[in-house]
């Protein structure tokens, strides 16, 4: 069990500052499966069945979205998760992640949160199951030839023969003091 959580049924309760809201959000998402809260950047990350599903920042819940589900959040008037970061030029800029606040009424009960939780779960599953991009061979600068597929095989070294030693071999004998 991770530090800062206790187990109660399918929910690992968060402990410490900000944990009351985190525990409430965990209860809201518990119909989806076992919920775990982990501390992150002054807030919490919520996992359901091992999938990263939500962020809690400044006592606001943000559910995972992707290109498929983002329009549902925007149509419902949900706000994206935004944060301020320092750019390469030293100026402050606002960035956002693909996490959105669910509609306010969904924070009242697990039944109202369930469709939005499922939407976040689907986004998390699509993210995990996305196939990695196929790697293409890089061409050397200035050449148009295809990369070589010839590989040199390393010579196989023969294993050293096993040497059996007696249990006391290599140890120095202790001398007993005659007293």
């Amino acid at each position: 069990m991770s530090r800062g959580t206790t187990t109660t049924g399918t929910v690992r309760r968060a402990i410490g500052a900000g944990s009351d809201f985190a525990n409430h959000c965990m209860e809201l998402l518990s119909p989806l499966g076992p919920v775990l809260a982990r501390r992150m950047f002054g807030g919490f990350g919520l996992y359901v069945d091992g999938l990263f599903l939500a962020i809690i920042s400044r006592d606001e819940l943000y559910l995972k979205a992707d290109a498929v589900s983002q329009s549902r959040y925007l149509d419902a008037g949900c706000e994206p998760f935004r944060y301020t970061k320092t750019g390469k030029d030293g100026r402050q800029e606002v960035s956002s992640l693909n996490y959105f606040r669910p509609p306010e009424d969904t924070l009242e009960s697990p039944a109202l949160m369930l469709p939005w939780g499922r939407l976040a779960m689907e986004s998390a599953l699509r993210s995990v199951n996305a196939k990695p991009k196929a790697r293409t061979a890089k061409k050397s600068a200035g050449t148009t030839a295809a990369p070589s597929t010839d590989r040199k095989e390393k010579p196989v070294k023969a294993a050293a023969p096993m040497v059996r030693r007696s249990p006391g071999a290599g140890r120095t004998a202790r001398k007993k003091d005659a007293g």
Side-chain angles (χ1 to χ4, degrees), residues 8-24:
T8 305
T10 61
V11 175
R12 288 187 169 192
R13 299 204 176 279
I15 300 171
S19 61
D20 290 340
F21 184 71
N23 287 328
H24 175 68

Side-chain angles (χ1 to χ4, degrees), residues 32-33 48-49 51 53 116-126:
L32 297 171
V48 176
D49 275 339
L51 291 171
L53 205 69
W116 293 95
R118 284 187 179 143
L119 191 62
M121 179 78 89
E122 291 168 3
S123 296
L125 286 169
R126 279 190 293 271

Side-chain angles (χ1 to χ4, degrees), residues 7 91 149:
T7 304
R91 293 189 322 198
T149 56

